[in-house]
Amino acid sequence: MSKLYEYIRMAVHNIMANKGRSFLTMLGIIIGISSVIAIVSIGEGTKKQMNSEIDGIGGGQIYIDVSSDAQKAEEWITQGDVEAVRALDGVEGVSVSDGCEGETNTGKGDFSIELNGEGPDARLLENADMKHGVYFGEKEIQEGKNVCVLSDTDARRLFGTDDVVGLSIDVNCYGLTKSLKICGVTMQKENGTFVNYTYEGMPVTVNVPYTTIEEFTGISDSFYSMLIQGDRKGDTQSIADSVVDLLEKRHKCAGEDYFRVQNFQDVLSSMNQMLDMVTLFISFVAGISLLVGGIGVMNIMLVSVTERTREIGIRKSLGAKTSSIMVQFLAEAAILTIIGGIIGIILGILGGYGICSVISSRMKMVIKPGIKLSTIGAATLFSCAVGVFFGIYPARKAAKLSPIEALRRN
């Protein structure tokens, strides 16, 4: 242990004696490590923010629609199917959707209207927070009440205020005009980094019971699709399989692929895989500088061996073992890369925070770097491995020098 300490002390002394050269030697390692950590942390932060935003609007949701073959066979999703699916384990809510486009006129002017016909679990699936009034429920759907719910943003567009519960909207769709009484106003979700809920010029969205919209569309008790809210902590794939099995039994169409499934979790996983691949590729490109840095370490260590040939000859003539000479030069190479790695880690973390801050301020995003201990640990081990690997050849060359030939050299 005392010998190892002496080798380290000598290595540090030699590094400090050539500060400028040592820093330039470490520069490749510093750039490589800092680049990889910054890129990975930004990628992780972006993925975390994206997952958080998307999970907030659709976590655990499963979308099922009927295929073209099912439509030809007149096998549509029925209200009975909806009730049967709602009774399955792991299903928290089900909503069907229907819709049409129309227009309305208020004291604020003429507006395009997008009518969404929804089921009794609409509020759950919309993840809606009420600001005024209440969301319509099963009773309003069964009775086909002419009620509606809209966001506070759309309420202000129509009336100049969001305190509009009890007021009515006259909606014209397909030549039919209907007066819809506003029973609730929801809080408009704020646009996030990756998810936009509003855009300039979009029509006013009005949610109504699906039975209310039947008079506009002429369609009753048959739906093209359903949206299911599964247990967020459960396995959405098994829930989706159970739903499809149930629908195929009810419609006696097993093996016909009448019902298509889009699992929200699968979509999110695919997006994460794509982002991971991009991050990995960019990290690989940045990691090339580590290879360049390692070659730089080997080059400088070879120069150091040449400069210290007489020193090596004197030490070997005084009885120094070949292994001792080799360990001394390996220690110097390893310390160079370890110091470079530590500096690179610090700069990488600071760079990750700095770049995320710039992105957040310039593009009105909220991204925080995802600093992972595993990434820092891997970067540290890799920098040590680079030092040892690229220090082996110079160390072996120094250790194999003949004492007599070494002493002859100036």
Side-chain angles (χ1 to χ4, degrees), residues 14 18 32 41 46 132 162 171 181 200 215 230 234 243 261 329 333:
N14 288 324
N18 299 280
S41 64
T46 302
H132 302 291
D162 56 36
V171 177
K181 185 177 180 180
E200 190 174 350
E215 291 184 40
V243 171
V261 178
F329 280 87

Side-chain angles (χ1 to χ4, degrees), residues 211-257:
T211 50
T212 303
I213 213 171
E214 287 174 0
E215 291 184 40
F216 290 117
T217 61
I219 300 173
S220 176
D221 197 34
S222 59
F223 309 101
Y224 174 77
S225 64
M226 71 165 66
L227 187 61
I228 301 164
Q229 179 63 61
D231 184 356
R232 290 175 183 262
K233 297 180 180 179
D235 182 2
T236 54
Q237 185 58 54
S238 64
I239 296 172
D241 292 341
S242 299
V243 171
V244 171
D245 287 343
L246 175 64
L247 291 175
E248 288 182 342
K249 287 178 182 177
R250 289 180 59 86
H251 290 263
K252 298 180 175 58
C253 61
E256 300 291 339
D257 294 328

Side-chain angles (χ1 to χ4, degrees), residues 118-169:
E118 299 181 322
D121 297 321
R123 180 182 175 183
L124 172 66
L125 287 147
E126 292 276 352
N127 195 22
D129 295 321
M130 301 306 299
K131 190 170 185 178
H132 302 291
V134 295
Y135 218 101
F136 55 80
E138 199 156 358
K139 180 182 177 182
E140 287 78 11
I141 292 173
Q142 289 177 351
E143 296 177 1
K145 292 277 189 179
N146 292 332
V147 294
C148 67
V149 173
L150 70 165
S151 70
D152 53 358
T153 301
D154 285 335
R156 285 191 291 270
R157 290 171 64 190
L158 292 174
F159 299 100
T161 177
D162 56 36
D163 189 8
V164 295
V165 173
L167 299 182
S168 295
I169 308 172

